[in-house]
Amino acid sequence: MSTSVVQSVTCPICGSFCDDLELTIEDGRITKVKNACAMGEAKFLYAPDLKHRWLKPMIRKDEELVEASLEEAVKKAAEVLAEASYPILYGWSSTCCEAIRVGIELAEEVGGVIDNTATVCHGPSLQAVQDVGLPICTLGQVRHRADVIVYWACNPWEAHPRHIERYTYFPDGRFQSSMWRRYLTRWGMLAQRKRILRALSTHPYIKAILPPLARYELSPELFVKGRKLIVIDVRRTRVAEAADYFIQVKPGEDYELLQALRALVRGIELEVDEVAGVPVKLLEEVVDVMISCDFGVIFFGLGLTMSRGKVRNVDLAIKLTEDLNDRSKWLIAPMRGHFNVTGANAVFTWQTGYPFAVDFSRGYPYYNPGETSVVDILLRGDSDAALVVASDPVAHFPKKAVEHLVKNPLVVIDPSKSATSLMADVVIPSAFVGIEAEGTAYRMDFVPLPLKKVVEPPAGLLSDEEILRMILHEVRKIKGVA
Amino acid sequence: MMMELLIKNGFVYDPINGIDGERVDIAIKDGRIVERVDERRAEIIDASGMIVMPGGVDLHSHIVGGKVNSGRLLRPEDHRKDYEVKTKVTRSGVGYSIPSTFTTGYRYSRMGYTTVMDPAIAPLKARHAHEELNDTPMIDKGFYPLLGDWWFVLEFIRDGKIEECAAHVAWLISSVKGYAIKLVNPGGLEAWGFGRNVDSIDDPVPYFNITPRDIIRGLCKVNQLLNLPHAIHIHTNNLGKPGNYTTTLDTMKCVEDLAIDDKPIAHVTHCQFNAFKGVNWKTLASGAPEIADYVNKHKHVTLDMGQIIFTDTTTMTADGPFQYILYKLTGNKWVNSDVETETSAGIVPIRYRRASYANAVQWSIGLELALLIKDTWKVYLTTDHPNGGPFTEYPRVIAWLMSRIARERTMKRLNKRAVAKMTLPSIDREYTFYEIAIATRAGPARSLGLKNKGHLGVGADADVAIYDVNPKEVNPSRQYKLVRRAFRRAAYTIKSGEVVVKNGEIVKSMMGDTIWCNIHVMPSLAEDVAKGLKKRFREYWTVEYDNYPIPEKYLSISYPMEIKAKV
Amino acid sequence: MIILRPKKEFKAPIIAECISPDVFMGKSIDEVAKLKVYEGNKERTLGELFNFSYEKEPEDKIMIIGDVSKVRKIGFNMRKGEIEVKGDVGMHLGAEMKGGKITVFGSAGSWAGSAMSDGLIEVHGSAGDFLGAPLRGSTSGMSGGTIVVHSNVGDEAGAYMRDGSIRIHGSAGQFLGLRMRGGAILVLGDADSRAGAFMTGGRIVICGTLRSLLPAFTIEGVRPSIKVGPEKVSGPFYLFVGDLTEGGDGQLFVSKVRNPHLSPLVTKVMAGE
């Protein structure tokens, strides 16, 4: 039995893209994962399991997916794409940059629309950046310097489990120290308080007069010094429990809250007492903290980009950050989801000038989200074929969009048996990038890191990049340019 | 394939070999210039009535990397007005001031340029720069990692450990596959980490007990210890601020005593942005005469122009605090991007206007620098692409340098108050083709220490540009428009011995080399560096030691320059 | 007058910048039929997609009869003449228009009149998002001309507007007059929230209900009526000024009668003064 340990492995799960994992490989199988969060550990241990994947290319014949040779599947995929008038090529955020580069070349060759998953998550953020810019930094800068950290409409505790521990509130930096100990003390006291309150609140009268469980009623020493964590969300999440300030915003009113904060930062008095369900008094207190810090950062999530206001929520959050720079150093960063959605945006941008939703139908890159974004294309029924790479739109897109997607020829390249692949006409299974194939991916702060190959893929499975190259080659043959 | 080429009857300008417009045939074989080829077998290019020059060399142009890409992301409106349709040999692309990677390569090649250096890459994001370089065709290329605010540099210099500093710089440049040491607003970027800046070369850097002067001198010494081919490449403190020409003079003076022989030891880049006189924007004036005077009297510095063009472009530098000031001045959109333990960056779109007093003065400063510095080998043509304007406008700058009339015509349309105060109208000097060849290829190649570039001597890389303008018939002073047109679209561009451009169109797509320095320090020292870094890596960065260096196989065509350091 | 009738129901988007009187003028039907358009990624001629007929008068008019909701950029950059569409029309109708007149008896897609500088667009149905607004990243919005929409419009109508006027008979979506610097928008129906976000100048008049007022607007007073272009609209209207966070003094007129939810705030502030 052969056992080896691989160090500094990057984790192909979320945008935090931790690169300090340590894997134990026994007989070509990953048996132990160190340093990863539960999601990362599960992916390394269970994703390569043969039960959840296609092991042979499949082609739909008479309504049934049947096994086919790789050459056959590639040829069929190439025909579908080469013949289409308006094909879409979607996915890309869970594969490596090398594959994306080929994907864009393919999209250009077939005159299609290429789009990545940002279109349904941080697309609005990217559009906001195009309107007003983005003061951002790498995560290490936050670790070393930030003394105020804002999480707005995101829940890193669950979506990016090591974000707080590695980059923001809990790590030690050159100029800031860890808040771990304070968090534990506070957590203990809070638990105690909760127990007492719960006991008291069984009495209806006491319950009526008890104030809400507000953080600043605890001992002030626990809040004065060191880093401060501010959480703004529609619900009290786990990270909100850890915060020094929690602002519960009414659903869909983030824009109003942002504007109120911006007004206060600029010294404009508000005429209302309450904005988005939050007392202006509390906002004033929070703004005081924000303008008197040395280095602040806002991390925002899908709660901002996908709720009412979308682009403009982010637009305003960025303007707020820009204004805060008159008073102190402030930066803002999106909490990107997939481990390489940032890389997808990067590759798209350097090859085509635009981060997502790029239309090659006229032989050059054209970009206009709302017009060239895949969900809108599907909802209008414009497209007549699709290639999906490393993504599962059938599980995530609106029903009407999915209907149109599966009505037309659909080619899927994916390492796992996704809902989309079950509906496809051609399925080409691939190796898991970052486990069975190497490549490059970008952390949410645009730091590029290598994806490692730690085990061999099942026999016959190629990487996304290799498969795409074969399709591209075949398309060129059909078009007579190879 | 054994390619043989013979360029016949052209007027050759090859300043490194002292050839000034003589008719010399250039023979090429296997990607090199050779003594002769067999005329019967070789492909003949008839360059009668044309100019033959070495392929253009640009030593300062922001073409790849995180910052450039953020600029692309920021400006869809820049791309919509300028796009390129896919052809049989070329990929499509977009972008006026910040073209996409393929388009960048094609456009340089169309102008006869064959080597381009990106001057500012955050080492932590070097992998990104290499990925883009792998998608930038037609040219040989490389980049300078930003080192002036790297914590290791600051700490070692503070502690007076110059050899350790050198060894660490060697590790970093070799690891990220960079080419030269770049300083941007030394000390100021670290201060910008907390939203501050430094205001002179003697203003201490917060928390580090060190001044920009120490950093500049320290890295200059490091550069000498490492035997790097290029001098330290400096974007000085106070860039873009009225009155900053004194900072530039201070910067040049502060390394004066370190010079050995006559070798330049410091390159002050895009000097136009750093030659401002006056106390504010209203009293802005040119500090070019003072700087030219200093440069004329000293041999240890070289410059490049950083000429501005009147157009809509995008400023992008690693100088975060400067970009913030520019954002506050213009109210345009603003990107800032700070990189842990290393550097920062900023981006702001800008439109240079003829009617603007400040912009008109800036325009004159760039040209005054080029015209007042007597030795052309000391000042090179750049627009600090895209900061002063896109590189595609170089032919415009060439015309201004070669023609007084061209300058006068432009001045007629400029802000009157600015013109009234300019030195430029009193300058009669006009560049010759020979001097243009120095400013656009020979000079930068020599400054970069690229021995095979920038000339057409036997053994040189067969990178050649042929322009359809007859120097015996065309008077560039009067017919500057013909010159401008010729330099916009090369009649031929030959890259590594192959014809890649004909009549200004790409006929063949190819990948150039990525040039980098593989620096060898003493093995024991290198071991200490590795050991120390491994131990302390996590204190500085949020990535692992193993994942920081970039393996050579990552570069599509790697061209390492093996360098033996003195330490 | 050239009359176009689509030959089939289109599936892929058609990009037809050439459908403009400036292009058609002086061309024979045959020449017009040879103009290039894109159907998805396939290059076609106009004649492959449309049937043509010809009427002598008026000479500079184009009429389209049928559903052209997949056809984009009709009247792009047009300077003169007239286009009449009997049916729904696709995106970018009259984008960057500099003169002439477009009438649609149906609905228009998003970006109708995008960044137009002169001329008239009249849509008898509804219009999509970004009415008159520029494409992403640009700050040059509508700088002149008139847009009239007889039914509802989507979000961000009149964004980045500098001059000209927009008249909406139905209701408007969110972010009406976003980053507006000049010009006037009149909404006879209701407006969703965030009207006037980031506005620094110009005038928005809402005769119906404004779902909610942004906190960065301040009450200036009550006006009995207000002039929008040549027209006098009677109120009374609350006059708010904002967006204060942009240091703006854009005017937002909101019907007093139809917006009782704003009256407590107005009363409080006016009393405080």
Side-chain angles (χ1 to χ4, degrees):
Chain A
M1 196 170 104
S2 71
T3 306
S4 61
V5 175
V6 197
Q7 283 175 330
S8 310
V9 176
T10 45
C11 175
I13 290 275
C14 77
S16 292
F17 202 36
C18 306
D19 72 331
D20 60 343
L21 273 55
E22 202 180 293
L23 304 186
T24 308
I25 320 285
E26 289 176 52
D27 283 336
R29 285 191 45 156
I30 302 163
T31 52
K32 212 170 125 196
V33 182
K34 234 174 99 180
N35 293 344
C37 66
M39 292 194 293
E41 185 174 342
K43 177 151 185 187
F44 278 108
L45 291 182
Y46 307 117
D49 197 322
L50 305 182
K51 275 188 301 213
H52 321 293
R53 33 200 313 198
W54 302 100
L55 294 172
K56 282 272 180 330
M58 308 293 278
I59 293 182
R60 192 170 293 275
K61 281 179 184 153
D62 306 325
E63 303 294 305
E64 286 284 318
L65 278 174
V66 293
E67 276 187 18
S69 72
L70 181 62
E71 291 68 30
E72 223 181 320
V74 164
K75 196 155 177 259
K76 177 81 186 151
E79 279 167 16
V80 164
L81 293 170
E83 283 160 17
S85 287
Y86 204 59
I88 53 179
L89 296 87
Y90 174 75
W92 311 107
S93 308
S94 293
T95 187
C96 61
C97 296
E98 288 77 1
I100 300 165
R101 286 166 67 189
V102 184
I104 297 171
E105 201 171 349
L106 179 63
E108 190 189 74
E109 194 65 56
V110 301
V113 177
I114 188 162
D115 201 355
N116 54 58
T117 59
T119 206
V120 289
C121 58
H122 274 285
S125 312
L126 296 162
Q127 294 178 66
V129 171
Q130 292 172 334
D131 280 344
V132 290
L134 182 74
I136 193 178
C137 63
T138 63
L139 292 166
Q141 198 76 347
V142 176
R143 189 190 99 190
H144 287 304
R145 298 180 200 261
D147 56 347
V148 173
I149 296 140
V150 181
Y151 282 111
W152 194 309
C154 55
N155 182 7
W157 212 285
E158 264 128 45
H160 301 84
R162 297 182 70 209
H163 195 269
I164 306 173
E165 143 203 346
R166 268 171 71 81
Y167 309 121
T168 64
Y169 197 54
F170 291 153
D172 276 313
R174 188 181 188 112
F175 304 104
Q176 293 294 336
S177 48
S178 167
M179 288 293 118
W180 183 240
R181 194 182 295 271
R182 181 209 276 178
Y183 166 74
L184 287 180
T185 320
R186 205 192 291 164
W187 187 249
M189 290 178 64
L190 216 74
Q192 211 173 355
R193 250 177 71 93
K194 261 187 184 167
R195 269 199 301 280
I196 298 166
L197 285 170
R198 206 179 304 128
L200 287 173
S201 63
T202 46
H203 193 288
Y205 174 72
I206 296 179
K207 190 180 177 184
I209 60 160
L210 268 179
L213 203 70
R215 203 84 9 228
Y216 45 87
E217 288 165 30
L218 285 182
S219 154
E221 289 96 80
L222 284 173
F223 302 94
V224 180
K225 277 203 190 125
R227 288 180 154 149
K228 288 187 183 57
L229 184 63
I230 300 172
V231 171
I232 302 168
D233 209 337
V234 291
R235 67 186 78 83
R236 184 182 286 273
T237 57
R238 184 81 191 272
V239 59
E241 293 285 343
D244 298 83
Y245 292 92
F246 171 58
I247 298 176
Q248 190 157 11
V249 56
K250 256 194 213 162
E253 294 193 13
D254 295 82
Y255 188 89
E256 282 72 12
L257 184 65
L258 279 161
Q259 198 179 57
L261 285 174
R262 187 171 180 222
L264 292 172
V265 167
R266 293 180 70 113
I268 298 163
E269 217 174 299
L270 293 175
E271 289 171 355
V272 285
D273 304 323
E274 194 186 276
V275 177
V278 186
V280 169
K281 253 182 100 174
L282 173 60
L283 293 181
E284 283 169 347
E285 195 181 328
V286 169
V287 164
D288 271 344
V289 172
M290 290 170 85
I291 59 180
S292 54
C293 72
D294 289 327
F295 183 115
V297 62
I298 300 174
F299 290 102
F300 64 94
L302 295 189
L304 215 52
T305 68
M306 284 293 145
S307 66
R308 251 171 72 81
K310 289 191 162 188
V311 178
R312 298 304 159 200
N313 291 339
V314 184
D315 179 344
L316 185 51
I318 295 170
K319 288 310 282 184
L320 168 68
T321 312
E322 291 179 353
D323 284 353
L324 276 164
N325 275 284
D326 289 345
R327 317 294 295 263
S328 172
K329 174 92 180 189
W330 271 85
L331 301 165
I332 182 165
M335 295 288 278
R336 307 306 301 270
H338 295 290
F339 69 91
N340 197 27
V341 63
T342 312
N345 298 148
V347 184
F348 274 54
T349 306
W350 81 60
Q351 287 209 357
T352 75
Y354 308 113
F356 68 107
V358 181
D359 181 343
F360 281 106
S361 63
R362 276 166 284 166
Y364 65 89
Y366 171 73
Y367 162 85
N368 192 23
E371 179 181 4
T372 60
S373 34
V374 290
V375 177
D376 300 280
I377 289 171
L378 290 169
L379 289 175
R380 286 191 306 264
D382 293 348
S383 64
D384 58 354
L387 167 71
V388 173
V389 179
S391 179
D392 196 3
V394 167
H396 300 113
F397 278 9
K399 188 160 165 275
K400 205 179 150 215
V402 171
E403 277 168 13
H404 187 78
L405 179 73
V406 301
K407 207 165 71 188
N408 291 293
L410 172 62
V411 181
V412 172
I413 301 174
D414 203 313
S416 47
K417 220 177 229 179
S418 63
T420 309
S421 70
L422 290 167
M423 309 287 282
D425 298 287
V426 182
V427 183
I428 307 179
S430 61
F432 271 105
V433 69
I435 304 177
E436 301 164 344
E438 58 181 16
T440 310
Y442 287 60
R443 200 165 74 180
M444 59 164 76
D445 55 349
F446 290 93
V447 171
L449 287 164
L451 287 154
K452 288 189 181 163
K453 175 178 178 174
V454 289
V455 294
E456 286 297 322
L461 295 199
L462 302 178
S463 68
D464 295 329
E465 183 191 356
E466 291 165 310
I467 296 166
L468 286 160
R469 276 199 196 287
M470 291 171 76
I471 297 177
L472 177 62
H473 183 73
E474 205 59 41
V475 164
R476 290 198 166 135
K477 261 188 4 203
I478 294 170
K479 298 207 155 194
V481 288
Chain B
M1 193 176 58
M2 299 283 162
M3 235 349 223
E4 291 185 18
L5 260 178
L6 184 62
I7 305 165
K8 292 187 71 154
N9 306 325
F11 299 103
V12 176
Y13 291 89
D14 180 7
I16 286 178
N17 296 304
I19 302 171
D20 184 6
E22 291 137 51
R23 280 183 192 239
V24 184
D25 290 353
I26 305 289
I28 292 168
K29 191 178 175 183
D30 300 339
R32 300 254 164 187
I33 310 281
V34 292
E35 202 73 57
R36 62 175 62 82
V37 290
D38 185 345
E39 228 174 289
R40 284 163 305 180
R41 270 203 323 212
E43 183 187 334
I44 310 277
I45 292 175
D46 182 9
S48 309
M50 297 189 198
I51 282 178
V52 179
M53 285 184 182
V57 178
D58 195 342
L59 88 175
H60 193 107
S61 173
H62 300 266
I63 55 169
V64 291
K67 165 163 44 66
V68 172
N69 215 33
S70 300
R72 293 189 188 106
L73 166 67
L74 185 68
R75 301 213 61 195
E77 76 280 14
D78 176 85
H79 311 334
R80 276 195 297 269
K81 68 182 179 196
D82 193 356
Y83 55 80
E84 300 216 0
V85 179
K86 168 183 158 43
T87 70
K88 277 191 181 127
V89 286
T90 62
R91 298 279 304 271
S92 65
V94 296
Y96 170 70
S97 68
I98 336 147
S100 50
T101 51
F102 297 105
T103 302
T104 301
Y106 303 143
R107 288 186 182 170
Y108 261 116
S109 196
R110 281 184 199 139
M111 295 198 314
Y113 271 73
T114 49
T115 305
V116 182
M117 289 285 171
D118 186 291
I121 298 296
L124 182 61
K125 296 181 176 178
R127 194 180 291 268
H128 180 167
H130 281 295
E131 282 208 284
E132 289 196 24
L133 288 178
N134 289 346
D135 271 347
T136 307
M138 317 306 287
I139 48 175
D140 292 337
K141 60 254 166 171
F143 64 75
Y144 318 147
L146 291 154
L147 292 169
D149 293 82
W150 185 28
W151 285 354
F152 280 89
V153 164
L154 304 188
E155 288 166 358
F156 283 125
I157 292 177
R158 177 195 62 199
D159 301 342
K161 295 178 177 169
I162 208 74
E163 291 191 354
E164 280 90 337
C165 185
H168 279 80
V169 168
W171 171 82
L172 188 127
I173 292 181
S174 307
S175 296
V176 304
K177 312 285 179 274
Y179 188 77
I181 295 174
K182 175 71 183 292
L183 293 87
V184 171
N185 186 2
L189 306 192
E190 166 50 37
W192 179 241
F194 283 118
R196 281 173 263 172
N197 199 354
V198 292
D199 62 13
S200 80
I201 71 164
D202 293 311
D203 191 8
V205 183
Y207 307 111
F208 279 88
N209 193 20
I210 188 177
T211 62
R213 180 189 297 272
D214 301 331
I215 303 172
I216 298 164
R217 285 180 62 83
L219 282 174
C220 194
K221 288 180 205 161
V222 163
N223 206 51
Q224 290 173 322
L225 283 176
L226 295 180
N227 280 326
L228 290 180
H230 186 36
I232 52 169
H233 200 95
I234 316 174
H235 159 139
T236 59
N237 302 104
N238 284 334
L239 180 129
K241 283 185 210 156
N244 62 14
Y245 80 103
T246 54
T247 311
T248 308
L249 289 172
D250 289 345
T251 305
M252 297 193 289
K253 281 178 198 159
C254 93
V255 292
E256 217 175 282
D257 62 308
L258 299 177
I260 308 165
D261 307 330
D262 286 343
K263 200 175 176 248
I265 53 168
H267 179 82
V268 175
T269 193
H270 41 69
C271 195
Q272 173 272 128
F273 289 105
N274 231 33
F276 295 175
K277 229 171 157 174
V279 290
N280 56 37
W281 291 105
K282 286 200 179 98
T283 57
L284 187 73
S286 169
E290 284 82 355
I291 287 175
D293 187 49
Y294 181 88
V295 173
N296 284 334
K297 289 178 183 148
H298 294 85
K299 288 180 170 163
H300 69 287
V301 283
T302 54
L303 310 180
D304 64 88
M305 293 166 73
Q307 179 60 34
I308 69 156
I309 310 289
F310 297 106
T311 187
D312 178 12
T313 189
T314 313
T315 65
M316 50 176 72
T317 69
D319 198 342
F322 160 68
Q323 296 290 155
Y324 178 68
I325 294 169
L326 201 59
Y327 152 69
K328 295 303 273 185
L329 270 174
T330 62
N332 288 346
K333 39 193 179 185
W334 169 53
V335 167
N336 176 81
S337 175
D338 295 349
V339 179
E340 61 204 61
T341 77
E342 293 175 355
T343 182
S344 73
I347 306 164
V348 178
I350 199 165
R351 179 183 278 280
Y352 295 112
R353 292 171 196 277
R354 290 182 183 84
S356 149
Y357 171 76
N359 294 162
V361 172
Q362 281 186 276
W363 174 81
S364 73
I365 294 174
L367 293 170
E368 285 169 15
L369 282 168
L371 295 165
L372 291 174
I373 292 173
K374 290 174 191 146
D375 182 357
T376 318
W377 290 98
K378 287 181 179 169
V379 54
Y380 318 123
L381 190 157
T382 67
T383 58
D384 187 14
H385 164 84
N387 286 297
F391 64 83
T392 43
E393 299 295 343
Y394 285 177
R396 205 176 278 282
V397 184
I398 291 174
W400 283 325
L401 289 174
M402 294 192 84
S403 163
R404 219 191 135 170
I405 297 170
R407 301 198 286 266
E408 275 164 5
R409 291 231 171 116
T410 303
M411 277 189 269
K412 272 193 193 132
R413 301 173 62 197
L414 295 189
N415 179 292
K416 295 276 177 296
R417 196 164 69 87
V419 176
K421 286 170 87 179
M422 279 178 197
T423 314
L424 190 60
S426 67
I427 303 175
D428 292 327
R429 184 175 167 198
E430 291 177 331
Y431 270 44
T432 61
F433 283 115
Y434 188 74
E435 285 176 308
I436 290 294
I438 298 173
T440 57
R441 38 268 285 166
R446 183 180 276 184
S447 170
L448 287 169
L450 292 169
K451 301 225 157 45
N452 298 334
K453 306 274 182 205
H455 71 104
L456 298 171
V458 169
D461 291 343
D463 298 345
V464 189
I466 304 175
Y467 300 106
D468 189 4
V469 56
N470 188 331
K472 300 285 180 258
E473 287 171 8
V474 169
N475 175 359
S477 178
R478 300 195 165 280
Q479 295 160 290
Y480 63 88
K481 283 185 183 162
L482 289 179
V483 175
R484 200 160 69 193
R485 198 175 313 147
F487 277 94
R488 271 196 200 290
R489 295 161 64 86
Y492 293 90
T493 304
I494 294 153
K495 175 81 196 70
S496 307
E498 293 195 59
V499 176
V500 290
V501 169
K502 253 186 211 172
N503 295 325
E505 289 307 324
I506 307 287
V507 292
K508 184 178 166 52
S509 184
M510 62 139 52
M511 274 320 279
D513 299 341
T514 301
I515 308 169
W516 58 284
C517 288
N518 195 15
I519 310 165
H520 303 279
V521 299
M522 280 187 318
S524 59
L525 195 53
E527 241 168 70
D528 288 349
V529 170
K531 224 189 273 166
L533 275 174
K534 216 167 181 173
K535 214 164 83 193
R536 297 164 65 199
F537 211 81
R538 285 184 183 172
E539 286 171 34
Y540 288 79
W541 285 282
T542 51
V543 302
E544 296 292 296
Y545 172 74
D546 294 341
N547 292 331
Y548 194 91
I550 294 151
E552 191 175 353
K553 67 167 188 178
Y554 208 83
L555 284 52
S556 70
I557 303 176
S558 167
Y559 185 96
M561 286 178 58
E562 304 296 337
I563 287 160
K564 191 158 172 7
K566 289 186 200 138
V567 289
Chain C
M1 177 167 72
I2 294 181
I3 302 167
L4 284 74
R5 288 184 173 84
K7 282 184 174 171
K8 59 173 183 188
E9 194 184 321
F10 301 127
K11 179 170 178 174
I14 317 277
I15 312 292
E17 293 170 30
C18 62
I19 304 183
S20 159
D22 305 69
V23 181
F24 279 23
M25 278 278 279
K27 287 197 174 65
S28 69
I29 291 255
D30 284 351
E31 284 169 328
V32 166
K34 280 192 192 119
L35 289 170
K36 295 268 181 254
V37 292
Y38 271 94
E39 180 181 21
N41 55 25
K42 309 277 189 279
E43 210 177 44
R44 307 257 190 248
T45 61
L46 214 46
E48 287 175 80
L49 304 179
F50 291 92
N51 287 317
F52 294 87
S53 51
Y54 179 78
E55 272 173 34
K56 200 150 183 359
E57 288 295 318
E59 201 190 347
D60 60 353
K61 182 169 173 178
I62 299 171
M63 189 187 278
I64 305 172
I65 301 171
D67 179 9
V68 284
S69 56
K70 292 261 180 176
V71 185
R72 298 178 190 166
K73 290 202 161 183
I74 291 175
F76 176 77
N77 204 15
M78 96 181 228
R79 286 158 198 279
K80 55 179 190 288
E82 191 185 341
I83 299 177
E84 190 179 313
V85 185
K86 294 192 163 148
D88 292 348
V89 63
M91 298 178 196
H92 308 288
L93 173 79
E96 294 175 43
M97 183 171 173
K98 298 185 174 63
K101 182 181 164 191
I102 300 178
T103 315
V104 179
F105 294 96
S107 292
S110 297
W111 293 282
S114 170
M116 72 189 281
S117 50
D118 205 353
L120 168 68
I121 298 179
E122 186 164 4
V123 179
H124 286 268
S126 62
D129 298 329
F130 314 110
L131 182 74
L135 298 183
R136 188 63 55 194
S138 169
T139 54
S140 311
M142 184 168 165
S143 58
T146 305
I147 304 178
V148 181
V149 178
H150 289 268
S151 183
N152 303 336
V153 302
D155 293 344
E156 299 193 14
Y160 294 93
M161 186 168 178
R162 286 186 289 183
D163 206 347
S165 72
I166 296 179
R167 185 187 168 99
I168 299 158
H169 290 245
S171 26
Q174 289 188 73
F175 297 105
L176 176 72
L178 174 94
R179 288 207 167 89
M180 185 171 173
R181 282 179 282 173
I185 303 177
L186 171 64
V187 181
L188 298 177
D190 303 335
D192 202 343
S193 40
R194 295 147 188 183
F198 302 105
M199 84 187 284
T200 49
R203 175 174 286 189
I204 300 174
V205 182
I206 299 163
C207 300
T209 308
L210 172 64
R211 183 161 143 179
S212 66
L213 180 76
L214 284 173
F217 277 79
T218 182
I219 179 82
E220 186 92 351
V222 180
R223 300 283 182 273
S225 67
I226 163 73
K227 248 186 123 185
V228 186
E231 185 184 4
K232 197 170 158 187
V233 187
S234 38
F237 290 103
Y238 292 127
L239 166 57
F240 297 98
V241 172
D243 173 335
L244 299 180
T245 56
E246 287 281 317
D249 55 359
Q251 297 178 317
L252 178 62
F253 292 89
V254 182
S255 161
K256 186 178 171 184
V257 184
R258 299 285 306 278
N259 290 281
H261 60 291
L262 296 177
S263 90
L265 169 73
V266 171
T267 318
K268 183 190 130 193
V269 177
M270 308 277 264
E273 271 173 3

